[in-house]
Amino acid sequence: MVSAKRIIARAVFGHRYDRVPWGQRVYVRPGERYAREAQWWLRLRRAPVLSLEEYQARVPLGEIEEFISCHLCGESRQQPLFRPAAQKDNGKTRWSYRVVRCPSCGFLYRNPNVRPERLGDLYATNYSGFLTGSYAQNRQRRYRLTMSAFSPVFDDGTGRRLLDFGCGAGLFLELAEQRGFDACGVDLSPDSVAEANRRLTKARAYFGAPEDVEEVARGGFDAITLWSVLAHLPRPLDDFTRFRGLLGPGGVLLILTVNAGSLLLKAYGSAWSGFTKNHLMFYSAKTLPVLLRRTGFAGVAFAPFFGDTVEEGTTRLSPAYARRLRRTVIASDGGNMMRALAFADEEAIARWGSGLAVQRL
Ligand SMILES: [Zn+2]
């Protein structure tokens, strides 16, 4: 069945954009971003704002879940917005959850959330299938492109200590050691840590929390990296306070996460690619600075995300469409992923901030 939206799009744009992938159409079709912003504004106008008690009365609570208030500002009122879900082949629900918006600060988060002590239940699946082949190559390409976006911060690691938090099978640690960093990582999956240590020559991966590992706990890091980790953290204030403490003078924290300010979220709602099974909280360029300010960071800079193939120059988009995509990303949301560099202190801003649009916190 052809949806009404598709008929409207056909009437407005014809077949011109049929071969542009879904994830890029919103950025390439002229004027679409204004329509999506209007759609978002309407959605927020229509969604009710409930007290936590009202919300709890309406929503069932799973065994490993808990109701929470906004972790960024403490606001307890809830604005229910989305119900992401995935179906099995037989039509039964594989997983689903609810995403609310904080009516005070605009933060998007899963509510009910997952109780931290039950996080392990989310990661029962064996991830070793992800370690090789095109998955690994695509991951490492994204790491390289992100480091380039903040060049020269990650160009030369000689004499510098780096911690990769949530290092998985060591795909980033491998690049970090190649660039000369004295690198180590921590992860909560013992299988991944074992695989990482097989892969690495100088860098080391450890199982457990940072405070459990002596080499990590002594701190003094020049850089900490969070590759697709932030959205998985159920207690972000605690974790970021710890990261700030582990950074030495002049230290930086690199974050890559899904962008809750993305036009694609505004366009696709519950079907947005950032609402994956294990994501708990969704940050934007408005809400991430709140977390950083509250945990003692001095500044932050963002690098717009145009997509890996566009940045690498291998996109199938025509040059004119690729230019339009870049312009729309810069003028609107910063892209579907968010890339941020947080500065521990003034020394870090002085050392690495030139050439970046540093926002002081
Ligand atoms: Zn809030």
Side-chain angles (χ1 to χ4, degrees):
M1 206 185 78
V2 182
S3 72
K5 278 182 192 168
R6 193 166 293 185
I7 292 169
I8 294 169
R10 275 283 145 75
V12 176
F13 299 113
H15 292 271
R16 207 172 310 143
Y17 300 98
D18 283 1
R19 294 181 63 192
V20 176
W22 279 107
Q24 296 175 325
R25 270 186 217 181
V26 170
Y27 296 99
V28 169
R29 295 198 288 209
E32 180 154 357
R33 73 178 174 102
Y34 300 107
R36 298 307 188 178
E37 293 293 354
Q39 189 184 349
W40 178 247
W41 182 83
L42 266 177
R43 186 191 283 275
L44 296 189
R45 286 281 301 241
R46 282 205 311 251
V49 175
L50 307 173
S51 72
L52 188 54
E53 291 71 26
E54 287 169 323
Y55 185 69
Q56 285 174 324
R58 291 185 188 191
V59 173
L61 186 67
E63 190 217 333
I64 65 166
E65 296 178 332
E66 63 180 1
F67 286 106
I68 60 172
S69 294
C70 176
H71 274 251
L72 293 191
C73 76
E75 169 67 72
S76 66
R77 290 177 306 153
Q78 313 278 319
Q79 193 174 26
L81 284 190
F82 302 113
R83 295 191 62 178
Q87 257 82 45
K88 291 181 189 167
D89 291 340
N90 61 13
K92 286 192 177 164
T93 304
R94 198 149 51 104
W95 56 262
S96 73
Y97 55 84
R98 291 159 196 265
V99 176
V100 300
R101 176 178 177 272
C102 169
S104 293
C105 73
F107 190 40
L108 291 184
Y109 58 97
R110 179 169 167 170
N111 204 14
N113 215 277
V114 176
R115 285 195 268 143
E117 67 274 18
R118 297 300 295 272
L119 263 191
D121 295 35
L122 296 188
Y123 301 102
T125 324
N126 184 355
Y127 283 94
S128 56
F130 289 163
L131 304 181
T132 50
S134 59
Y135 177 86
Q137 283 168 17
N138 287 337
R139 283 279 130 162
Q140 291 190 322
R141 174 176 69 176
R142 182 164 288 184
Y143 301 152
R144 285 197 188 92
L145 292 168
T146 299
M147 289 191 285
S148 307
F150 292 111
S151 177
V153 181
F154 295 91
D155 293 359
D156 181 6
T158 310
R160 299 165 65 201
R161 294 184 71 220
L162 179 144
L163 169 66
D164 187 28
F165 184 83
C167 65
L171 292 174
F172 176 69
L173 287 175
E174 193 174 45
L175 299 182
E177 69 176 12
Q178 284 166 13
R179 293 184 180 208
F181 281 99
D182 175 12
C184 63
V186 289
D187 200 276
L188 292 176
S189 157
D191 292 349
S192 297
V193 166
E195 173 62 25
N197 285 323
R198 272 194 291 277
R199 174 191 294 275
L200 300 167
T201 48
K202 290 189 307 247
R204 298 147 311 275
Y206 299 98
F207 171 70
E211 60 271 23
D212 301 333
V213 179
E214 200 192 323
E215 181 185 342
V216 177
R218 68 185 159 94
F221 287 98
D222 298 287
I224 299 178
T225 48
L226 296 182
W227 296 103
S228 301
V229 165
L230 177 56
H232 297 258
L233 300 178
R235 295 287 183 268
L237 286 166
D238 296 347
D239 290 315
F240 271 58
T241 302
R242 189 182 302 138
F243 298 147
R244 177 64 190 87
L246 289 172
L247 285 171
V252 291
L253 172 67
L254 178 76
I255 297 157
L256 173 79
T257 188
V258 293
N259 177 12
S262 166
L263 283 175
L264 294 176
L265 166 61
K266 292 167 180 168
Y268 302 131
S270 294
W272 178 50
S273 59
F275 291 138
T276 61
K277 182 177 171 234
N278 295 342
H279 280 175
L280 305 178
M281 300 191 187
F282 309 88
Y283 297 80
S284 70
K286 286 199 180 79
T287 52
L288 180 64
V290 179
L291 173 63
L292 293 168
R293 187 185 311 126
R294 288 196 57 190
T295 51
F297 286 83
V300 64
F302 293 95
F305 176 80
F306 305 109
D308 299 327
T309 59
V310 171
E311 292 181 23
E312 194 187 41
T314 55
T315 179
R316 290 186 197 161
L317 289 180
S318 72
Y321 283 6
R323 279 196 300 276
R324 196 186 293 161
L325 179 144
R326 284 177 176 269
R327 280 199 305 270
T328 309
V329 163
I330 289 170
S332 59
D333 63 350
N336 198 43
M337 301 293 294
M338 185 168 64
R339 307 190 287 200
L341 188 72
F343 302 86
D345 50 20
E346 286 298 324
E347 188 180 330
I349 295 175
R351 193 179 298 171
W352 301 115
S354 62
L356 298 171
V358 180
Q359 187 183 328
R360 282 204 159 66
L361 297 170

